Amino acid sequence: MTDRRKARTWAEIDLGAMAHNYRALKALTPAGCGFLGLVKADAYGHGAVPVAQKLQELGADMLAVACAAEGEELRRGGIVLPILCLGQTDPALAQDLLDWNITQTVEDLESAQALSRVALAAGKRLRVHLKVDTGMGRLGFLWGDGENGSALEKMTALCALPGLEVEGMFTHFAAADEDETYTAAQLRRFLEAKKALEDRGLHFAIYHCGASAAVLHYGQSHMDMIRPGIALYGFPPAPGIEAPGLIPVMTLKSRVAAVRPMPAGSPISYGCTAVLERDSRVAVLPVGYGDGLPRSLSNKLQVQIGDRLCPVLGRICMDMCMVDVTDLPDVAPGDVARIYGPGLTQRAADQAETIVYELLCQLSRRVPRIYLDGGREIR
Ligand SMILES: *Cc1c(COP(=O)(O)O)cnc(C)c1O
């Protein structure tokens, strides 16, 4: 266990807050609607195994990862829930999918054929979900507003491949957080593809479409299972989106390493981009871009010490940054600064001209994750 009392910088992961978000999202769906929790990219930087364990305990139905290796990590960590791999898996790695019991997304006939061959040779069946591209322009059988005969033939052929068990079918919305008309068109195309396959006698157990934006705002897209990521971690998918009651799960904290009085006119940090306008007290925080704090927040970020926001002075370095604590005369080495967390993360993302997702995902390995549940430290 990482001792929070010794860490220079650490992220507190409040699994109780995640449980709250899980229940808040469940409450938006009808009884019987499944819950797939997104734990790709190390659970958006929160730590894949502990987050998956909590989701398993809460009663989630499935987890999703981006690649087979992320699925393997969960299995090694003792996770028994079904795991869906959303990305392409090279047929050379198909044996891993079978060994670790990972469900694979299939998005074209050729890779499905290759997976089928590997499964047959192993004498096993590989569970797969069919991916339809209804307008995301990423992966999947293209289903547009024109002629879709070729996609239909290929999906039909895929369903007949030996060694594969098609359990589900899904699509992904490109603009559910900003364009209602576009999202409605994507949903209509998905339902058309579903119907076309059903007309051929091909029915699947699980149809799913909704990531966080759709979970929050397109109830008609919930179908058999919702697929939220960012909302589970406490944030709306875009700042303008209403997401009442979600609680940010991660709080990034750092401990003041030094406080130094410095005279007006002193330049601060690389490039001397900040020059003190008054006699100041400058605190050094042992957190920098090597911890995942974007350097683009130089001269912009504000960190919270006590109940005050303190501006970062000058460039963020790899391992440290400096903040102005002139107006907080009591700040001393060892005091804790909050960098991300409720009220802070979204603002930092805005200042860095990025999205919360990116800030969370890029928190580096150097930052220990400390898990809390019900206010108590666990594990
Ligand atoms: C990442 C991802 C999600 C989750 O998206 P959020 O916006 O974080 O809810 C859902 N589905 C797919 C296919 C994804 O890649």
Side-chain angles (χ1 to χ4, degrees):
M1 180 169 33
T2 314
D3 188 344
R4 197 176 358 161
R5 287 162 292 265
K6 294 187 190 136
R8 59 196 265 285
T9 291
W10 67 100
E12 291 175 6
I13 309 298
D14 184 351
L15 296 175
M18 193 181 75
H20 168 91
N21 298 335
Y22 173 86
R23 295 192 188 101
L25 295 169
K26 279 291 273 189
L28 297 173
T29 64
C33 180
F35 190 106
L36 176 157
L38 265 291
V39 295
K40 60 189 178 186
D42 202 27
Y44 292 43
H46 294 68
V49 170
V51 163
Q53 267 161 357
K54 184 68 183 180
L55 286 170
Q56 191 163 274
E57 187 186 308
L58 288 167
D61 301 280
M62 200 179 283
L63 301 169
V65 295
C67 58
E70 288 185 338
E72 177 180 337
E73 184 193 354
L74 294 179
R75 290 283 182 247
R76 287 188 188 277
I79 303 301
V80 297
L81 280 182
I83 297 172
L84 174 63
C85 175
L86 295 168
Q88 274 279 16
T89 297
D90 190 298
L93 297 175
Q95 189 62 45
D96 290 354
L97 299 171
L98 294 166
D99 291 347
W100 296 105
N101 189 22
I102 297 167
T103 306
Q104 177 59 43
T105 298
V106 286
E107 34 246 337
D108 64 83
L109 184 56
E110 295 68 28
S111 40
Q113 285 162 336
L115 293 173
S116 157
R117 283 192 291 273
V118 176
L120 270 186
K124 288 189 176 175
R125 268 157 77 81
L126 178 65
R127 213 175 306 120
V128 300
H129 284 210
L130 254 179
K131 173 97 182 255
V132 187
D133 184 352
T134 56
M136 172 70 187
R138 193 164 65 178
L139 286 171
F141 292 92
L142 261 183
W143 196 280
D145 288 335
E147 229 284 297
N148 292 301
S150 152
L152 182 59
E153 290 312 322
K154 285 179 176 165
M155 288 195 276
T156 305
L158 188 158
C159 291
L161 288 173
L164 299 187
E165 175 197 333
V166 186
E167 177 191 54
M169 172 169 161
F170 72 104
T171 194
H172 192 49
F173 296 130
D177 53 349
E178 45 198 37
D179 190 335
E180 217 168 297
T181 312
Y182 193 79
T183 306
Q186 279 199 265
L187 182 59
R188 172 181 47 73
R189 291 179 201 126
F190 182 71
L191 293 172
E192 285 167 9
K194 173 176 184 278
K195 170 85 169 46
L197 286 163
E198 283 170 350
D199 287 347
R200 295 186 162 192
L202 298 167
H203 302 260
F204 311 122
I206 312 171
Y207 296 89
H208 51 109
C209 298
S212 296
V215 174
L216 294 167
H217 286 284
Y218 299 93
Q220 66 278 29
S221 76
H222 291 173
M223 296 183 203
D224 301 308
M225 188 167 74
I226 55 169
R227 219 171 57 219
I230 197 72
L232 192 53
Y233 302 105
F235 294 93
I241 299 245
E242 290 262 331
L246 298 180
I247 306 174
V249 172
M250 179 196 290
T251 302
L252 177 64
K253 295 184 176 177
S254 185
R255 202 182 297 284
V256 172
V259 181
R260 304 163 69 231
M262 298 188 71
S266 303
I268 306 290
S269 194
Y270 288 119
C272 309
T273 59
V275 176
L276 297 179
E277 285 169 5
R278 54 175 178 171
D279 292 346
S280 305
R281 294 174 76 244
V282 177
V284 179
L285 288 181
V287 58
Y289 61 81
D291 300 288
L293 191 63
R295 187 170 174 275
S296 61
L297 286 172
S298 297
N299 284 309
K300 290 184 184 159
L301 181 69
Q302 292 172 307
V303 307
Q304 191 183 339
I305 302 181
D307 55 6
R308 290 287 284 267
L309 289 176
C310 306
V312 162
L313 295 166
R315 291 203 181 135
I316 291 173
C317 312
M318 185 186 290
D319 312 308
M320 290 179 245
C321 63
M322 277 61 87
V323 298
D324 183 353
V325 295
T326 314
D327 298 327
L328 284 174
D330 295 335
V331 169
D335 285 355
V336 171
R338 296 155 69 90
I339 297 153
Y340 298 158
L344 297 170
T345 321
Q346 184 65 59
R347 182 212 309 259
D350 294 344
Q351 288 172 329
E353 293 178 45
T354 184
I355 52 177
V356 162
Y357 297 72
E358 191 181 24
L359 292 194
L360 298 175
C361 285
Q362 74 185 30
L363 198 70
S364 80
R365 273 182 33 179
R366 185 163 73 186
V367 179
R369 273 65 164 174
I370 287 163
Y371 294 90
L372 308 175
D373 206 346
R376 291 220 331 273
E377 194 167 327
I378 55 167
R379 213 157 314 133

